[in-house]
Amino acid sequence: MQLRLDTSDPLGKSEPLLAVPVPQGAAAAQGFLARVDAALSGAVSKVLSAGDVTGKAGDEVVLYGPEVGPQRVALVGVGPLEKYDAEQVRRFSARSVRIAERLGRDSVSCRLEGFGRVEDGALAQAAAEGAALAAWRFTELKKPAEDTPQVAVGEARFYSDGDPEALEAGVARGDIVAAAENFARTLQSRPGNVATPRHLAEEAERMARETGLSATVFDEERMAREGMHAILAVSRGSDEEARLVILEHHGGEEGEAPLILVGKGLTFDAGGISIKPASGMEEMKFDMSGGASVIAAMQAVARLGVKANVVGIVPSSENLPSGTALKPGDVIQTLAGKTVEVVNTDAEGRLILSDALAWGARMKPAAMVDCATLTGAVVIGLGHHAAAVLGNDETLVEELRAAGVRSGERCWPLPLWDEYREQLKSETADLMNVGGRPAGTITAACFLREFVGDAPWAHLDIAGTAYGEGKLPYQRKGGYGFPTRLLVEWVLSRVG
Ligand code: BES
Ligand code: MN
Ligand code: ZN
């Protein structure tokens, strides 16, 4: 999608559709809205006094334009001013795009308003993100259906009289971040027979060539040589070979400790011998969501020219039952040297992550963050509105929580007290891969903590937030690309 900033007056332009945010309780049209009202001979006041648009988030109405000026004006409710933030901006621009889509328009214009609560840079970034995310569609494997809009919205124009430099930088940043998140969504959307570990690795390599990242891909032979027996154990039941992808961005000083992002790239999780129920199993193509977001975030890091060393690591395999598959009770070796009794082969994510985290820890990172669709338990705990964040470093956990608020991809802390570690005690090995029903998200994170050494580390459990029904205006049913925005925002927060 083309995103443009325009600092001229939109009321002097014959745009096909101009979307204007309306805050709740704006009884008499104020500010820019008052000018729109005048241009439309009082139609805005009428709509507001009739209560057709109260400003409640979700309200919208399309009015037809004056003789000169925009052909259509969409009044879009953005909720109460006290709650107005970057996320409301993201939703506003997304809804503007969807209105244009419904009306069969291939472009949309949005009036940007910070209402004294969102700064120009963040305002433009959020608007750009919302628009580009809303326009995205996964069309690779389907002929256009009659009920899907035939016209794709290919352009969004943002009107603001704020600081052009800050706005321009914001639009550019939002463009890069949203394109990355859309890349993650495309990878997520591809089914397991397309998006195999080999495919993920090839896509990462292609992206790396295009953006100037360096890419290294380990095949199974290399993993065996390095001692990554946990990934190999999970992959044993599958005919598709596992891969470990390492992407490196050298934006900092030579030898400066890197920030490391690790993402679970399990391209299909049938559960292995501890097989999952058939119903809903198709969703397990999304079990590579963390890996997709890490690859995507690395794309954004490269394109933003982040002044830090950043490394992305994605362990990728399938988890299938077969005659060669890992069995419950098997004890495996890991790269870190700890042995694991695999009591449930469906707790495979922590196994492939253990080797990836151990590899990352060897690089002595300044901080390491992993993201994974790791436990069903996190959906019970937090639902679909936030990921869980857990780690061995409170500052890092807080950094992520704050980056989550700014990016609109929120996470919320759970404790990682030593008492929970007891649930992982094994008779025969250094630890078990499952800790029973209580606190499933926490015991999974406890397991991961065993493999990070003394690196400052945090884990995001994204099983409830990586994909879904598409409830927000910038989402669609399927992959959300979550937490690409959050990861990029966190990396940026570390470089100041
Ligand atoms: N990939 C699943 C977790 C998951 C569940 C993701 C629901 C998305 C939606 C993971 O590999 C898994 O199977 N976890 C098990 C762990 C259990 C065996 C300890 C789970 O959560 O049931
Ligand atoms: Mn599983
Ligand atoms: Zn899984």
PDB file of all heavy atoms in Angstrom, residues 471-484:
ATOM      1  N   LYS A 471     -10.941  -9.736  15.134  1.00  0.00           N
ATOM      2  CA  LYS A 471     -11.905  -8.848  15.785  1.00  0.00           C
ATOM      3  C   LYS A 471     -11.570  -7.364  15.606  1.00  0.00           C
ATOM      4  O   LYS A 471     -12.461  -6.528  15.557  1.00  0.00           O
ATOM      5  CB  LYS A 471     -11.983  -9.179  17.278  1.00  0.00           C
ATOM      6  CG  LYS A 471     -12.610 -10.538  17.584  1.00  0.00           C
ATOM      7  CD  LYS A 471     -14.115 -10.415  17.845  1.00  0.00           C
ATOM      8  CE  LYS A 471     -14.846 -11.747  17.745  1.00  0.00           C
ATOM      9  NZ  LYS A 471     -14.443 -12.741  18.745  1.00  0.00           N
ATOM     10  N   LEU A 472     -10.306  -7.026  15.521  1.00  0.00           N
ATOM     11  CA  LEU A 472      -9.932  -5.611  15.426  1.00  0.00           C
ATOM     12  C   LEU A 472     -10.007  -5.141  13.978  1.00  0.00           C
ATOM     13  O   LEU A 472      -9.876  -5.942  13.056  1.00  0.00           O
ATOM     14  CB  LEU A 472      -8.521  -5.390  15.975  1.00  0.00           C
ATOM     15  CG  LEU A 472      -8.332  -5.712  17.463  1.00  0.00           C
ATOM     16  CD1 LEU A 472      -6.877  -5.483  17.876  1.00  0.00           C
ATOM     17  CD2 LEU A 472      -9.270  -4.864  18.316  1.00  0.00           C
ATOM     18  N   PRO A 473     -10.209  -3.815  13.780  1.00  0.00           N
ATOM     19  CA  PRO A 473     -10.386  -3.294  12.415  1.00  0.00           C
ATOM     20  C   PRO A 473      -9.196  -3.566  11.496  1.00  0.00           C
ATOM     21  O   PRO A 473      -9.357  -3.610  10.288  1.00  0.00           O
ATOM     22  CB  PRO A 473     -10.556  -1.795  12.625  1.00  0.00           C
ATOM     23  CG  PRO A 473     -10.939  -1.617  14.042  1.00  0.00           C
ATOM     24  CD  PRO A 473     -10.387  -2.773  14.804  1.00  0.00           C
ATOM     25  N   TYR A 474      -7.996  -3.724  12.056  1.00  0.00           N
ATOM     26  CA  TYR A 474      -6.842  -3.948  11.172  1.00  0.00           C
ATOM     27  C   TYR A 474      -6.477  -5.428  11.067  1.00  0.00           C
ATOM     28  O   TYR A 474      -5.464  -5.783  10.479  1.00  0.00           O
ATOM     29  CB  TYR A 474      -5.625  -3.119  11.611  1.00  0.00           C
ATOM     30  CG  TYR A 474      -5.249  -3.235  13.074  1.00  0.00           C
ATOM     31  CD1 TYR A 474      -4.583  -4.356  13.541  1.00  0.00           C
ATOM     32  CD2 TYR A 474      -5.546  -2.220  13.967  1.00  0.00           C
ATOM     33  CE1 TYR A 474      -4.219  -4.457  14.882  1.00  0.00           C
ATOM     34  CE2 TYR A 474      -5.204  -2.307  15.306  1.00  0.00           C
ATOM     35  CZ  TYR A 474      -4.534  -3.434  15.743  1.00  0.00           C
ATOM     36  OH  TYR A 474      -4.195  -3.526  17.064  1.00  0.00           O
ATOM     37  N   GLN A 475      -7.303  -6.287  11.672  1.00  0.00           N
ATOM     38  CA  GLN A 475      -7.052  -7.722  11.568  1.00  0.00           C
ATOM     39  C   GLN A 475      -7.995  -8.347  10.562  1.00  0.00           C
ATOM     40  O   GLN A 475      -9.009  -7.762  10.188  1.00  0.00           O
ATOM     41  CB  GLN A 475      -7.274  -8.391  12.933  1.00  0.00           C
ATOM     42  CG  GLN A 475      -6.321  -7.927  14.006  1.00  0.00           C
ATOM     43  CD  GLN A 475      -6.692  -8.464  15.388  1.00  0.00           C
ATOM     44  OE1 GLN A 475      -7.852  -8.788  15.657  1.00  0.00           O
ATOM     45  NE2 GLN A 475      -5.719  -8.546  16.267  1.00  0.00           N
ATOM     46  N   ARG A 476      -7.645  -9.544  10.126  1.00  0.00           N
ATOM     47  CA  ARG A 476      -8.602 -10.410   9.448  1.00  0.00           C
ATOM     48  C   ARG A 476      -8.538 -11.761  10.123  1.00  0.00           C
ATOM     49  O   ARG A 476      -7.609 -12.034  10.874  1.00  0.00           O
ATOM     50  CB  ARG A 476      -8.252 -10.556   7.959  1.00  0.00           C
ATOM     51  CG  ARG A 476      -8.427  -9.279   7.148  1.00  0.00           C
ATOM     52  CD  ARG A 476      -8.309  -9.569   5.666  1.00  0.00           C
ATOM     53  NE  ARG A 476      -7.991  -8.368   4.918  1.00  0.00           N
ATOM     54  CZ  ARG A 476      -8.890  -7.512   4.415  1.00  0.00           C
ATOM     55  NH1 ARG A 476     -10.172  -7.718   4.582  1.00  0.00           N
ATOM     56  NH2 ARG A 476      -8.497  -6.459   3.733  1.00  0.00           N
ATOM     57  N   LYS A 477      -9.511 -12.591   9.845  1.00  0.00           N
ATOM     58  CA  LYS A 477      -9.483 -13.950  10.395  1.00  0.00           C
ATOM     59  C   LYS A 477      -8.191 -14.613   9.922  1.00  0.00           C
ATOM     60  O   LYS A 477      -7.856 -14.574   8.746  1.00  0.00           O
ATOM     61  CB  LYS A 477     -10.696 -14.729   9.894  1.00  0.00           C
ATOM     62  CG  LYS A 477     -10.817 -16.142  10.445  1.00  0.00           C
ATOM     63  CD  LYS A 477     -12.159 -16.725  10.002  1.00  0.00           C
ATOM     64  CE  LYS A 477     -12.209 -18.249  10.062  1.00  0.00           C
ATOM     65  NZ  LYS A 477     -12.020 -18.850  11.352  1.00  0.00           N
ATOM     66  N   GLY A 478      -7.455 -15.201  10.861  1.00  0.00           N
ATOM     67  CA  GLY A 478      -6.194 -15.850  10.498  1.00  0.00           C
ATOM     68  C   GLY A 478      -5.037 -15.260  11.289  1.00  0.00           C
ATOM     69  O   GLY A 478      -5.212 -14.850  12.444  1.00  0.00           O
ATOM     70  N   GLY A 479      -3.881 -15.192  10.671  1.00  0.00           N
ATOM     71  CA  GLY A 479      -2.681 -14.715  11.361  1.00  0.00           C
ATOM     72  C   GLY A 479      -2.687 -13.217  11.552  1.00  0.00           C
ATOM     73  O   GLY A 479      -3.112 -12.468  10.675  1.00  0.00           O
ATOM     74  N   TYR A 480      -2.204 -12.766  12.698  1.00  0.00           N
ATOM     75  CA  TYR A 480      -2.156 -11.335  13.009  1.00  0.00           C
ATOM     76  C   TYR A 480      -0.740 -10.750  12.882  1.00  0.00           C
ATOM     77  O   TYR A 480      -0.566  -9.529  12.974  1.00  0.00           O
ATOM     78  CB  TYR A 480      -2.620 -11.081  14.456  1.00  0.00           C
ATOM     79  CG  TYR A 480      -4.042 -11.467  14.759  1.00  0.00           C
ATOM     80  CD1 TYR A 480      -4.435 -11.684  16.083  1.00  0.00           C
ATOM     81  CD2 TYR A 480      -5.001 -11.604  13.751  1.00  0.00           C
ATOM     82  CE1 TYR A 480      -5.743 -12.026  16.403  1.00  0.00           C
ATOM     83  CE2 TYR A 480      -6.312 -11.949  14.066  1.00  0.00           C
ATOM     84  CZ  TYR A 480      -6.679 -12.158  15.399  1.00  0.00           C
ATOM     85  OH  TYR A 480      -7.965 -12.492  15.717  1.00  0.00           O
ATOM     86  N   GLY A 481       0.256 -11.608  12.783  1.00  0.00           N
ATOM     87  CA  GLY A 481       1.626 -11.100  12.784  1.00  0.00           C
ATOM     88  C   GLY A 481       2.113 -10.699  14.173  1.00  0.00           C
ATOM     89  O   GLY A 481       3.239 -10.241  14.329  1.00  0.00           O
ATOM     90  N   PHE A 482       1.285 -10.851  15.157  1.00  0.00           N
ATOM     91  CA  PHE A 482       1.629 -10.553  16.561  1.00  0.00           C
ATOM     92  C   PHE A 482       2.781 -11.460  16.979  1.00  0.00           C
ATOM     93  O   PHE A 482       2.676 -12.667  16.770  1.00  0.00           O
ATOM     94  CB  PHE A 482       0.393 -10.844  17.432  1.00  0.00           C
ATOM     95  CG  PHE A 482       0.499 -10.453  18.874  1.00  0.00           C
ATOM     96  CD1 PHE A 482      -0.256  -9.406  19.388  1.00  0.00           C
ATOM     97  CD2 PHE A 482       1.325 -11.152  19.746  1.00  0.00           C
ATOM     98  CE1 PHE A 482      -0.185  -9.061  20.738  1.00  0.00           C
ATOM     99  CE2 PHE A 482       1.406 -10.796  21.091  1.00  0.00           C
ATOM    100  CZ  PHE A 482       0.649  -9.752  21.584  1.00  0.00           C
ATOM    101  N   PRO A 483       3.864 -10.984  17.582  1.00  0.00           N
ATOM    102  CA  PRO A 483       4.156  -9.666  18.124  1.00  0.00           C
ATOM    103  C   PRO A 483       5.210  -8.898  17.324  1.00  0.00           C
ATOM    104  O   PRO A 483       6.106  -8.304  17.913  1.00  0.00           O
ATOM    105  CB  PRO A 483       4.709 -10.004  19.500  1.00  0.00           C
ATOM    106  CG  PRO A 483       5.542 -11.257  19.240  1.00  0.00           C
ATOM    107  CD  PRO A 483       4.900 -11.955  18.058  1.00  0.00           C
ATOM    108  N   THR A 484       5.082  -8.850  16.004  1.00  0.00           N
ATOM    109  CA  THR A 484       6.089  -8.134  15.204  1.00  0.00           C
ATOM    110  C   THR A 484       6.226  -6.672  15.658  1.00  0.00           C
ATOM    111  O   THR A 484       7.342  -6.186  15.886  1.00  0.00           O
ATOM    112  CB  THR A 484       5.695  -8.174  13.709  1.00  0.00           C
ATOM    113  OG1 THR A 484       5.515  -9.532  13.316  1.00  0.00           O
ATOM    114  CG2 THR A 484       6.775  -7.531  12.857  1.00  0.00           C
TER     115      THR A 484
END
